[in-house]
Amino acid sequence: MASFSSASMLALTIMAVLIAGARCATSGKVGLALAKGSTPTNLMVAAKCFGGTAEDISKMEVKGQGSDKWIDMSNAGSSGKGNSVWKAVSSTPLKAPLAIRYTTKEGAITVNDDAIRSF
């Protein structure tokens, strides 16, 4: 049986791809998932731009449940296979579900209010 974390990662990835609905600069959908090692204070999000490249996303922010404050994420590089990894450090633990807001190089802004449902 798969571990909870790997099963959760797969479910989150599939769900994010299905509900993201946003488009990259080259008209591909964006999938979002927690990257290995994420915690409520040290968040790592893998972003995959289907039909485009990871470089199509120019900015990403995160917001925890019940918060009005968006936290800037930094591009931590590539995890391979066209994925980029974005990192946020929070002084207080983020509460799921997490909202993700990102901007493409074309300037389109997309908010996914339920991007990460749990840690």
Side-chain angles (χ1 to χ4, degrees):
M1 177 176 217
S3 71
F4 177 75
S5 61
S6 63
S8 295
M9 177 69 83
L10 177 60
L12 285 172
T13 302
I14 291 169
M15 180 179 55
V17 169
L18 292 174
I19 66 174
R23 302 245 172 222
C24 288
T26 57
S27 299
K29 292 198 178 221
V30 174
L32 302 167
L34 282 178
K36 187 176 179 178
S38 288
T39 69
T41 56
N42 188 19
L43 182 69
M44 304 282 282
V45 173
K48 170 100 175 150
C49 192
F50 297 93
T53 67
E55 292 78 31
D56 288 340
I57 299 171
S58 63
K59 181 178 181 179
M60 190 174 291
E61 301 162 288
V62 63
K63 179 173 69 166
Q65 180 183 28
S67 176
D68 292 328
K69 180 182 174 191
W70 287 97
I71 299 170
D72 286 330
M73 300 181 79
S74 60
N75 190 332
S78 173
S79 64
K81 298 182 183 179
N83 295 333
S84 59
V85 177
W86 293 78
K87 180 178 181 174
V89 177
S90 176
S91 58
T92 58
L94 295 169
K95 294 180 183 175
L98 303 178
I100 301 286
R101 176 169 67 188
Y102 59 91
T103 306
T104 66
K105 286 187 176 181
E106 290 183 341
I109 297 172
T110 300
V111 177
N112 186 330
D113 289 319
D114 202 17
I116 306 293
R117 295 189 178 201
S118 64
F119 286 94

